[in-house]
Amino acid sequence: MRAQQVRAGFVELYGTEPEGVWSAPGRVNLIGEHTDYNDGFVMPFALPHTAVAAVSRRDDGVLRLHSADVDGGVVELRLDELTPESDRDWTAYPAGVVWALREAGHPVTGADIHLGSTVPSGAGLSSSAALEVVVALALNDLYELGLQRWQLARLCQRAENVYVGAPTGIMDQTASACCEDGHALFLDTRDLSQKQIPFDLAAEGMRLLVVDTQVKHSHSEGEYGKRRAGCERGAALLGVDALRDIPYADLDAALARLGDDEEAVRLVRHVVTEDERVEKVVDLLKSGETRAIGPVLVAGHASLRDDFRISCPELDLVVDTAMSAGALGSRMTGGGFGGSAIVLADVADVDTVTKAVEEAFAAAGFTAPRVFEAVPSPGARRLV
Ligand code: ADP
Ligand code: MG
């Protein structure tokens, strides 16, 4: 249905049929927060919400871009004039992908692109990665570049880091490119090795809700940079390449070495315990003890709130309210300072929990949250 809509939009704009239509999903991270730039573990799964792009090749060095979700006409760029950090609007994401492909020596000679996305933007659900990955996959197919999914993810990360100028880890793009229907992706961000872990909550009578708080506190980007720099400093103090290299069993000794460096202690403790929590969740899911992941999610939230200090009143309110209303687990997800939280609940409790969160937000005078169910969905793919 959406493939047809986007195809029709392309025809209306450019006057010809597109060569194909592709989709790439947003993602939600089950567990493993702020570990991806520490070479650690993450465990995202793909959302049913996707960016869909209709694309054709061009051979004249021109890139034409249009989003159904943004006011304004077709943006036309020349490939030989693409320069990092020069585009300040949404076009930087698809243009950055084309730039990264060409930088890596791939013979992309132009494209017409029309896209539309149902991934909520700026909600911590990776609408940006969905945009990048859908374009990368389309060009990989059309230009027969033969790149593997993880390679596309790396190029998309480079587009976002260097071209857009946003310092993000590798999780979002890998999730969008590599996730599979009905599975969560256990990803080692050091070497991008991955395992698909069956994650079928419906079969076990549970649901996972995403609560988009609809807030984004303005200092979030600066704080992300500070946490990242702080983690690098912690690793340097401990003489390791990345905090991933501190085994959980050695955590106490590592913290003792940091002495009264309170800032380093808190950051190191979060990252090392968070990697441990990811492995625990993987073990529990593999052994069919899905309900038991609830307390691990809650412990992850406490660590992000108290040690990493990136939660906010809205996210804490979701977690506290959901747990009081009978949820099995809950935690903030994504970068922090707003965005979304996840809630794991038995089917029978979903309505009660949702209502409790909505009422708590109203009572606190917060903007009403957007609550939806997240079903583990397919990764990027060709639709037409
Ligand atoms: P997140 O990835 O968490 O949603 P980001 O700030 O990384 O948040 O990315 C959001 C940006 O991605 C938007 O500001 C916009 O530039 C771009 N974007 C997202 N969805 C669309 C869309 N449908 N059309 C055009 N640009 C989009
Ligand atoms: Mg993003």
Side-chain angles (χ1 to χ4, degrees):
M1 170 61 192
R2 281 189 55 228
Q4 285 314 318
Q5 257 173 23
V6 175
R7 187 200 64 82
F10 183 102
V11 173
E12 196 171 308
L13 278 172
Y14 300 119
T16 56
E17 286 287 330
E19 289 185 272
V21 181
W22 288 259
S23 78
R27 60 97 189 100
V28 66
N29 192 21
L30 183 59
I31 188 86
E33 217 63 77
H34 287 262
T35 48
D36 69 342
Y37 53 82
N38 291 296
D39 278 4
F41 304 126
V42 295
M43 206 176 176
F45 64 89
L47 291 171
H49 308 67
T50 55
V52 173
V55 184
S56 285
R57 284 169 290 182
R58 297 177 66 96
D59 57 10
D60 59 356
V62 167
L63 176 63
R64 292 199 290 179
L65 299 168
H66 187 265
S67 167
D69 310 313
V70 175
D71 288 337
V74 173
V75 175
E76 188 166 322
L77 302 167
R78 287 210 52 83
L79 296 191
D80 52 13
E81 289 171 4
L82 296 180
T83 314
E85 300 201 40
S86 59
D87 306 332
R88 285 273 148 242
D89 64 0
W90 73 273
T91 57
Y93 297 94
V97 171
V98 175
W99 171 84
L101 284 167
R102 283 166 54 86
E103 270 266 307
H106 301 294
V108 176
T109 54
D112 285 339
I113 300 176
H114 168 62
L115 57 85
S117 178
T118 54
V119 186
S121 173
L125 303 173
S126 276
S127 68
S128 61
L131 226 54
E132 292 153 5
V133 170
V134 76
V135 169
L137 184 66
L139 296 175
N140 186 50
D141 284 357
L142 289 176
Y143 281 96
E144 298 180 6
L145 304 178
L147 294 164
Q148 295 180 46
R149 296 295 176 117
W150 67 268
Q151 292 174 302
L152 294 177
R154 276 269 187 244
L155 284 163
C156 290
Q157 185 199 15
R158 189 166 152 71
E160 185 145 353
N161 289 171
V162 181
Y163 196 91
V164 178
T168 60
I170 187 67
M171 168 172 65
D172 300 351
Q173 294 84 2
T174 310
S176 186
C178 302
C179 278
E180 289 180 9
D181 201 12
H183 292 76
L185 179 73
F186 176 36
L187 176 69
D188 180 337
T189 63
R190 170 160 278 170
D191 60 7
L192 298 194
S193 60
Q194 33 183 280
K195 285 201 182 74
Q196 301 287 345
I197 311 291
F199 188 51
D200 184 0
L201 290 170
E204 298 184 62
M206 283 173 273
R207 296 281 187 271
L208 196 126
L209 305 176
V210 173
V211 181
D212 174 4
T213 65
Q214 313 233 49
V215 296
K216 192 77 203 161
H217 293 287
S218 56
H219 52 287
S220 60
E221 273 172 39
E223 294 293 332
Y224 179 94
K226 274 192 220 162
R227 296 304 182 285
R228 200 170 168 147
C231 288
E232 281 160 17
R233 183 173 151 269
L237 287 171
L238 293 169
V240 291
D241 284 344
L243 291 182
R244 140 61 171 297
D245 294 310
I246 310 289
Y248 181 67
D250 297 350
L251 177 61
D252 287 345
L255 296 182
R257 283 177 60 202
L258 293 170
D260 58 6
D261 189 335
E262 186 57 30
E263 170 78 4
V265 163
R266 286 193 285 99
L267 297 180
V268 169
R269 189 164 50 210
H270 168 70
V271 174
V272 175
T273 58
E274 186 78 351
D275 275 336
E276 168 74 4
R277 281 185 286 272
V278 177
E279 296 196 274
K280 199 166 182 178
V281 166
V282 171
D283 288 344
L284 289 169
L285 291 182
K286 276 184 175 166
S287 57
E289 297 169 79
T290 308
R291 304 176 72 83
I293 72 172
V296 188
L297 304 184
V298 175
H301 184 77
S303 180
L304 289 163
R305 182 190 60 208
D306 303 335
D307 270 347
F308 222 64
R309 300 196 182 177
I310 58 166
S311 189
C312 63
E314 292 87 350
L315 291 168
D316 291 342
L317 187 61
V318 176
V319 174
D320 294 344
T321 309
M323 294 311 294
S324 303
L328 298 164
S330 180
R331 67 175 202 90
M332 56 157 283
T333 183
F337 303 107
S340 301
I342 54 174
V343 177
L344 179 71
D346 278 317
V347 176
D349 297 327
V350 163
D351 288 346
T352 314
V353 168
T354 303
K355 196 154 171 277
V357 170
E358 286 168 350
E359 284 175 358
F361 267 57
F366 295 155
T367 305
R370 232 170 56 87
V371 185
F372 60 89
E373 188 188 337
V375 182
S377 298
R381 61 198 168 129
R382 187 171 190 154
L383 300 177
V384 175

